[in-house]
Amino acid sequence: MSSNKKYWKSVEELNENSSIVETLRNNEFSEPIPTDEFLSDKDSLSSSSTTRRDFLKYVGFSTAAATLAACEGPVHKSIPYVLQPEQIIPGVADYFATSMFDGFDFANLLVKSREGRPIKIENNTIAGAKFTANARVHASVLSLYDNTRLKVTKIGQKDASWAAADMKIKASLADAKAKGGQVVLLTNTLASPSTEKLIADFIAQNPTAKHVVYDSVSESAALDAFEAVYGERALADFDFSKANTIVSVGADFLGDWQGGGYDSGYAHGRIPQKGKMSKHYQFEANMTLSGAAADKRVPMKVADQKLALVKIYNIVTGAAVSVGKIANEEVVTKAAQQLKAAGAKGLLVSGIQDKNAQLLVLGINQALASEALSTVGTRQIRKGSDAKVAQLLADINAGNVHTLIMSGVNPVYTLANGKAFAEGLKKVKLSVAFSLKEDETASVTNIAVPAPHYLESWNDLMLTKGTYSLVQPTIRPLFSSKQFQEGLLSWTGNSASYYDYIKANSAAYLNGLTWNKAVHDGVVAGVASAASAGSADYAAAANALSQSKSLANFELVLYTKTGMGDGQQANNPWLQEFPDPITRVSWDNYLTVAKADAEKLGLTNEIVANGGLDGSYATVKVGATSITAPVIVQPGQAVGTIGLALGYGKTAALKEEMQVGVNAYSLYNNFDNVQSATVTKADGTHEFACVQSQKTLMGRGDIIKETTLTVFTAKFDEPEVWNPTPMVSLDHKEVPATSVDLWESFDRSVGHHFNLSIDLNACTGCGACVIACHAENNVPVVGKSEVRRSRDMHWLRIDRYYSSEETFEGDNKKKDEFDGLFGDKGSLGGFGQMENPSDNPQVVFQPVMCQHCNHAPCETVCPVAATSHGRQGQNQMAYNRCVGTRYCANNCPYKVRRFNWFLYSNNEEFDFHMNDDLGRMVVNPDVNVRSRGVMEKCSMCIQKTQLTILTAKREGREVAVDEFQTACSSACTTGAMVFGDVNNKESKVAKLAEDNRMYHLLESVGTKPNVFYHVKVRNT
């Protein structure tokens, strides 16, 4: 029998004459909660009249009201499909195989798409897919949704139609043909068989036309040398996994040297197996990722690097080219002798932009018969010619170019004499630019055509000879864009679509596969023949190089940063906020100066009270051009050299927040990355956004564990020698910290239990994992000002440690010899000294995220149980419960929790991608966008692990071995990060957990993390 009792909400309801009774009958609240006052942006928040008492009064009616007030988030109205596309299932991701190449970066990819929106870049792991995504490629999905993209065709800076532009271009081409005027197609390296065939068709119809290839960051010297020896304008490919001895002279092969992509092969040889690992010597001016990973790194001026190359050539080949004495000659000699002894297992590479130097590289590797250098499947990703670009500039300024059509280049920005190029355009009858942005060049051409993003395009690529890749669109074009290839089809009178053209042209490359299968796989692995082996006058090259003299002034060494590359994605906030792996500075480029030079010039860096880093300004003058930039005093910088990153200082078609840094291309004279420069101190102090000093774990003995290969091999079965377990006192006896516990443990052997393994030997600091985490987990960008206040929101950081002595072993010896608190050996002063790096330090990169402790200190102090532990080993966050006390952050020994200070979405104070509808298209719907006032951190990608379980369940099978992935582990291509179920004893992570090199961070604290690391081994 049902009850018909009536329950009163309040005594007030008993009064029939009450003014609020009617309201209460129909509405839970008699007054609206003023959420708009206390949940808006920070200005409104600070001026809100709502007191704490009023707030509690308003929300006191019910728990639901409190929940609403605490968890109000951005609300978006959605419009359902009128006719849902068959291929789209709401809530289920689609993956499209594609490839990308923008003239600088390249990769074979899988693109994750949700409800028709590409939201995440993954690596294509199919056989034949050779190139993986770096940090910039992972971030490129956000550049698709850039609101500053060129949206419509412009003629004379006014909106127009493609048809009108096409008509003008055809008329100009006809006029050039009639008058014999020169037509130039200026493009980046295309690496596209179909596009190159189209260009050949175009030139055949326009006899006065020519194609000039321009790479903003030149590899022309290496191309010229390879062409001279092998008769093909391409780059050799290298397999670093086949090299036991690696000598690099100025080549950052773990960075962008000759396109990069060598880190996976390199890391394969750096993980000690059966007592063996590769030996790596690095001679360089700037501190680079490759130098940081080297067993022996020698800071060296570029002039000395050239002489060192000649010395190595003499020792390896037995030549007797006269060469003067250089600093660190004994190390050069030792490296050369080991290289010669390695024979076919040796490899020499060099980044010196000099044809003679590159000829010696080929000659030395030929003498070694190096297995690591391959002329089968040469790299087609750089084809530019410095000489041809210089000739084009001369022709333009002489008025000899009738029609100039550009695609994928921005010479007004990237040429050292960009202003002269812009002036020369006025003498060209018709200038056209196909460009993603109305950039520095597109804004001064007669016609600017919006180019589609690679995720909106069809194309084909041959990144290495014999390997054919297809580019397919994953979304309809967002704007009225037009591909350069579509223009070529129109100008050659071909009515086919570019899709049909590629499909017809692909038959020669499909190697027996069907077109649909090739599109599905994304890559077709073919068979390439080796480039014809030749020779050159290596002795003459060595003699010419031996005459190299040191510059009278500083050597300015220009380079590309891991985050920004050549600057094409300067408007990408993920990349701007990405801390540089070496300096840990974001939102800037800067002059890197050796400590000795900084002291002479009066240049300083200072850590201020809020943890921010300040630095002096310096003026650099190269020829008649000078720029003023902030200074970073860089350990490991060669004395007499300074470094400066390209890719910054852009202003056209960029949001104001992204207009940072200085344009180093203005100093890139004659495409030489080494310039003679004078340096003087300038007025003012620069505020850096540097994260290194904010969350460091320096001085804690079990953070970085390191040993030598000799000790590791000799004492392999005695890991306590080189991987000691921390000891604690129990009942006045020393016992292993792992044997003592404050809590009773529950049975973790049932079901899945997730662990993440991180190998310090394989981690190169590339940062792909950081950007992948950003994309997968909707991590907000907070801007330079907030990063400086130590409020960056990265869920994953890559800590960088320098040794304060020459080696970390020296650091440990110094620390072990501390005696008392004060004096020369006192620990108080000693630990402070250890914060100061050596002039040539050893370097370690260590990715750190939430350690997902089984006995997590954050969980015990949360007053509202917002953070708790899941049975699968993940430390979880219930954002709806979190009230932002930050007790958990204070109690976390790893400093991996981030407090969400502001609402970063729909907030004009943070004008990044989450502030407009287009930018928010990249948001992952499986992960909520957090509102202000809560803690957030790495979730070990719980949405991905649960999806893997549910997918297996739906398919009626068990989860496959090593099927589990996180964003960081799937992005890591070196094998440094391995994720999986440790309860599955067949999984990689379970086997790695039993490895002798395994250790946990701060094991003595007793947190029992589910993330573990592997001791770094150096082949000294």
Side-chain angles (χ1 to χ4, degrees), residues 634-685:
Q634 176 62 56
Q637 183 79 28
V639 175
T641 71
I642 52 176
L644 182 62
L646 301 164
Y648 287 81
K650 296 188 75 171
T651 55
L654 257 69
K655 290 185 177 182
E656 185 179 350
E657 290 82 0
M658 258 66 82
Q659 296 177 23
V660 296
V662 296
N663 183 8
Y665 282 112
S666 62
L667 307 178
Y668 192 33
N669 296 328
N670 301 315
F671 305 100
D672 192 344
N673 68 333
V674 181
Q675 301 286 333
S676 175
T678 59
V679 184
T680 54
K681 184 178 181 180
D683 294 334
T685 300

Side-chain angles (χ1 to χ4, degrees), residues 97-282:
T98 190
S99 294
M100 77 84 69
F101 179 51
D102 61 7
F104 191 74
D105 292 312
F106 48 92
N108 303 119
L109 309 172
L110 291 178
V111 180
K112 180 182 179 182
S113 179
R114 281 293 299 270
E115 287 76 54
R117 298 177 295 113
I119 62 170
K120 178 78 166 50
I121 299 297
E122 303 282 0
N123 291 312
N124 190 347
T125 56
I126 198 168
K130 182 175 182 180
F131 297 112
T132 54
N134 60 22
R136 298 185 295 269
V137 175
H138 277 286
S140 65
V141 68
L142 181 59
S143 294
L144 168 67
Y145 303 116
D146 184 351
N147 202 35
T148 65
R149 281 177 57 185
L150 182 59
K151 298 178 177 66
V152 296
T153 299
K154 295 198 172 186
I155 300 177
Q157 284 76 53
K158 293 182 180 179
D159 291 358
S161 66
W162 161 248
D166 191 34
M167 192 180 300
K168 287 182 73 73
I169 296 168
K170 285 178 176 175
S172 182
L173 291 173
D175 187 53
K177 193 171 185 178
K179 296 177 179 178
Q182 187 178 147
V183 176
V184 178
L185 300 179
L186 178 64
T187 73
N188 55 4
T189 299
L190 297 167
S192 167
S194 293
T195 309
E196 287 166 2
K197 186 173 184 294
L198 262 176
I199 289 174
D201 293 343
F202 176 83
I203 293 174
Q205 292 187 23
N206 297 274
T208 61
K210 66 177 181 178
H211 180 207
V212 178
V213 180
Y214 167 47
D215 296 322
S216 58
V217 180
S218 176
E219 291 289 352
S220 194
L223 290 164
D224 292 343
F226 192 86
E227 189 173 19
V229 176
Y230 293 96
E232 178 187 346
R233 192 165 185 78
L235 295 173
D237 201 14
F238 298 92
D239 186 348
F240 281 79
S241 68
K242 294 181 178 179
N244 292 341
T245 302
I246 300 165
V247 178
S248 170
V249 182
D252 183 17
F253 56 85
L254 295 179
D256 294 328
W257 173 78
Q258 295 191 5
Y262 294 115
D263 46 353
S264 180
Y266 173 81
H268 183 270
R270 298 296 291 170
I271 297 173
Q273 295 174 337
K274 298 180 181 178
K276 294 182 179 180
M277 61 181 286
S278 62
K279 175 87 172 185
H280 174 193
Y281 288 93
Q282 185 82 11

Side-chain angles (χ1 to χ4, degrees), residues 346-500:
L347 174 64
L348 175 93
V349 293
S350 178
I352 299 171
Q353 293 302 312
D354 182 297
K355 182 179 176 180
N356 291 318
Q358 294 300 325
L359 283 171
L360 285 194
V361 170
L362 296 174
I364 291 168
N365 284 313
Q366 281 185 348
L368 294 169
S370 176
E371 295 175 3
L373 184 149
S374 173
T375 62
V376 178
T378 51
R379 289 190 167 204
Q380 306 294 305
I381 45 88
R382 299 288 186 270
K383 290 289 185 73
S385 168
D386 295 349
K388 289 182 179 178
V389 174
Q391 182 59 51
L392 172 63
L393 187 60
D395 288 345
I396 287 174
N397 282 300
N400 295 334
V401 176
H402 183 284
T403 304
L404 175 65
I405 302 174
M406 295 173 281
S407 174
V409 295
N410 183 10
V412 174
Y413 166 68
T414 57
L415 281 174
N417 44 358
K419 289 182 179 177
F421 186 91
E423 284 298 312
L425 285 180
K426 296 174 183 177
K427 300 176 183 178
V428 175
K429 291 280 194 302
L430 183 72
S431 56
V432 183
F434 285 78
S435 176
L436 273 170
K437 313 287 286 290
E438 194 173 3
D439 55 27
E440 288 81 357
T441 302
S443 60
V444 296
T445 53
N446 303 128
I447 298 176
V449 183
H453 191 271
Y454 76 92
L455 292 173
E456 303 169 314
S457 312
W458 281 103
N459 205 359
D460 62 357
L461 297 171
M462 190 168 283
L463 301 174
T464 57
K465 201 170 185 179
T467 303
Y468 187 66
S469 306
L470 285 169
V471 180
Q472 65 168 315
T474 58
I475 190 173
R476 286 181 178 273
L478 297 173
F479 308 115
S480 300
S481 55
K482 191 63 64 172
Q483 253 180 289
F484 171 59
Q485 291 86 345
E486 293 177 274
L488 288 170
L489 284 167
S490 175
W491 308 326
T492 53
N494 193 328
S495 60
S497 68
Y498 188 47
Y499 167 81
D500 291 331

